[in-house]
Every structure is written in C-alpha cells, then in structure tokens.
Amino acid sequence: MKKTTAAITAVGGYVPDFVLSNKVLETMVDTNDEWITTRTGIKERRILKEENAGTSFMAIKAAEDLLEKRGIEASEIDFVLVATATPDMPVAATAAYVASEIGAVNAFAYDLQAACSSFLYGMSTAASYIESGRYKKVLVIGADKMSSIIDYTDRTTCIIFGDGAGAVLFEPNEEGLGLQDEYLRSDGIGRQFLKIDAGGSILPASEETIKNKQHYVYQDGKSVFKFAVSNMADVSALIMERNNLTKDDVNWLAPHQANKRIIDATANRMGVEADKVMINIDRYGNTTSATLPLLLHDYEKQLKKGDNIIFAAFGGGFTWGSIYLKWAYNS
C-alpha cells in the first residue's frame, strides 16, 4: 500500500494596493532609501488602508483567489488554519471567521501563532492531518496586518514590515510528492529580543501602556539578526544532509523574507545559486506569516512537478525550522 503524503495542490495570494516606498518613509522617519536597501533589501511594502479591515480581510481575499484557481467550492474544505501574529481580535479565532466568510461550512478552523514561523509550522500541522487520513482538503493561510502593530516613528521596525496574505491547499498524494521532511525548533530565550510588551496576560492594556507605546513591536535587531542567520542556515543545511540532497538536487529555496542578508547567508550555507532563491522582499518587506505562501504565489508559474523546495523560516519566540517539499503540479 502506497504511503499517503500531503501535497500542495493550489496557491492563492493577496497584497493591499497601497505602496509604502522607502522614499515615502524618508519623509516620516530619519532614514533613507540607500540605508534601507543595503541593510534589508527592501524597496517598498504594502499597507492595508481599507477602513475596519483586519487580517481576515486579506486572508479571505487570498483564500478566494485559491478557490477560484483550483476550481472547487469552499464547502469541500475540511479544515482552515490561519497562521498569523496579528489576529483580528483576542479570543475570537480569526480562522473561524475566515472559514465562515468564504463559505467553508463543513470545516473546523483555528489560528496558529509562532511569529514569522507560523506558516511553516502550519504546513507541518496540515500535513499531519492529511497523512492521518482523517481529512482530505486542508486550507492553510498565512496572513498578517503588521501595520497594525508597528510604530511609524520607530525607524528600527517601520522600515521592515508590510501587510499581505497567502494561501495553500494541502491534499493527499500517492505519487511520493508533497511534504517529505521537517525540522522545527524553538527557544524561549528569544522572548526578550522580539516582542510586544503589553496587551497580554502579564501586562494588560492600560492608559499607561498606551502612553508608553508598549503595544507596538519591539525588536533588538542585532540579536535577532545573529540568531536568525545561524539558525535558518543550520536547519536548511541539516534538512539537505538528512535527505541526501546536494545543491544540484535543490530546485528552489523558499526563505522567510525578513532580511536579504539573512536570505543570502542561508543560500550560501546550502550552496544554492542565487537564481534558485525565491525573493520578493524588495516589493513586500517582511509580511511575517505571509512571506512563504506569497513566495509560492509569485513563483507558481515557474514551479514544475517534482521540484525540490526547501522552506526555511525564523521568528520571534524564538521559533525556526525548515521543511523539504516536492512540488506536486505544473501550473
């Protein structure tokens, strides 16, 4: 009996219309285009400006794009997972609302939060559900409205992040395609280096926390960069070694889009040429949970059935990991 694997069978994506360029940021904070570009690789990012629109707005758009391309009804979906660091609101799951709005009436849904590794962890979760045989169609959406938690007077963070959403559909495969291996890690030491201080159970919202701007992202850039460079590169090299993959066997590296220098360091460690590295950080910045699915959305037409893709991510917490996946279709 053939082993059932979990393969990606469709991709969808959405980015807001409003473009926040480096030139515009120059008028908002003490920075400049050259400084941002050389240190991060970012030229512009998208910002969600629609009134009363949150992460779910983009997640729904990405899911609808996927369903239209796949040619299936939302009622066929068994499970909707929304990977996000910026849910619409506390307590009420964003995924449940997204599932209802797209018409996934037969699905259960929940959110997954592991900062920038959320989508990577979501892929692992989806694969486990598929491989168990209990579910046939799992929709994983990575979406974040980072502009809602960024202080646009803080030049250390406002230059990095953007808004966006991407979605993938996992289905059973018996050709040996889909998710092949994973190596996922975490270390609580990262809590002090990348966080939002207030709004949780330790420091609930108050007049004082608002005045102190404690509801915005804080990042110790140097420490995060140091951990990200070593750990993303390590797990990517390890997943190759564990599966006897040479650099010639890897068709694509799909790295989290946090910083171009981190991406380059990961590719160099793997020995992967630049033309095999998926990149869109220059146009979108760091969209947190949305970076990996947006890469697939942008590169889908270049992907061929059987392509070996190495995914790698690093996020707050710290959380990080790598996944080896064989692409399952020609677009």
Side-chain angles (χ1 to χ4, degrees), residues 126-306:
S128 297
Y129 278 123
I130 293 290
E131 289 167 6
S132 74
R134 292 182 181 179
Y135 306 105
K136 301 296 184 186
K137 288 182 172 60
V138 175
L139 178 63
V140 184
I141 306 168
D144 270 306
K145 185 183 177 181
M146 294 303 293
S147 61
S148 66
I149 55 172
I150 296 300
D151 177 5
Y152 284 92
T153 65
D154 176 12
R155 66 176 182 176
T156 65
T157 56
C158 73
I159 65 170
I160 299 170
F161 296 98
D163 303 337
V168 303
L169 182 66
F170 276 94
E171 296 186 77
N173 183 278
E174 292 187 353
E175 298 178 88
L177 303 171
L179 199 147
Q180 305 293 307
D181 195 14
E182 63 180 47
Y183 189 71
L184 308 178
R185 309 297 298 160
S186 63
D187 188 342
I189 192 175
R191 185 173 181 156
Q192 62 185 304
F193 301 117
L194 180 52
K195 61 181 176 177
I196 294 177
D197 278 322
S201 58
I202 293 177
L203 192 61
S206 67
E207 185 177 348
E208 185 178 1
T209 63
I210 294 170
K211 285 180 179 177
N212 293 335
K213 296 187 173 183
Q214 290 175 282
H215 297 271
Y216 293 123
V217 169
Y218 163 79
Q219 177 170 279
D220 178 342
K222 289 183 179 179
S223 296
V224 173
F225 181 86
K226 174 184 167 186
F227 277 95
V229 165
S230 60
N231 286 314
M232 252 180 73
D234 285 349
V235 292
S236 301
L238 185 145
I239 206 95
M240 287 175 64
E241 181 182 344
R242 203 157 77 171
N243 291 277
N244 298 314
L245 297 172
T246 68
K247 65 182 181 68
D248 296 325
D249 297 320
V250 176
N251 299 102
W252 296 98
L253 167 63
H256 172 53
Q257 305 288 292
N259 184 295
K260 181 63 163 53
R261 291 184 292 169
I262 297 173
I263 294 168
D264 291 343
T266 301
N268 289 338
R269 177 71 182 279
M270 297 168 65
V272 174
E273 295 88 348
D275 61 355
K276 292 183 176 182
V277 182
M278 297 183 185
I279 294 280
N280 60 18
I281 190 173
D282 54 321
R283 292 180 291 128
Y284 304 145
N286 181 354
T287 55
T288 305
S289 307
T291 63
L292 297 182
L294 278 176
L295 284 175
L296 294 179
H297 179 255
D298 285 358
Y299 281 82
E300 183 184 17
K301 291 181 180 178
Q302 298 182 52
L303 302 179
K304 297 179 176 61
K305 185 175 181 179

Side-chain angles (χ1 to χ4, degrees), residues 7-47:
I8 292 174
T9 59
V11 178
Y14 174 82
V15 291
D17 294 329
F18 183 84
V19 176
L20 178 58
S21 67
N22 290 349
K23 288 295 183 184
V24 174
L25 277 174
E26 288 180 2
T27 68
M28 298 166 60
V29 290
D30 182 17
T31 191
N32 61 73
D33 175 64
E34 183 186 5
W35 193 94
I36 297 171
T37 304
T38 56
R39 284 163 178 78
T40 68
I42 302 169
K43 298 294 288 185
E44 58 188 39
R45 64 289 294 145
R46 301 298 183 95
I47 305 296

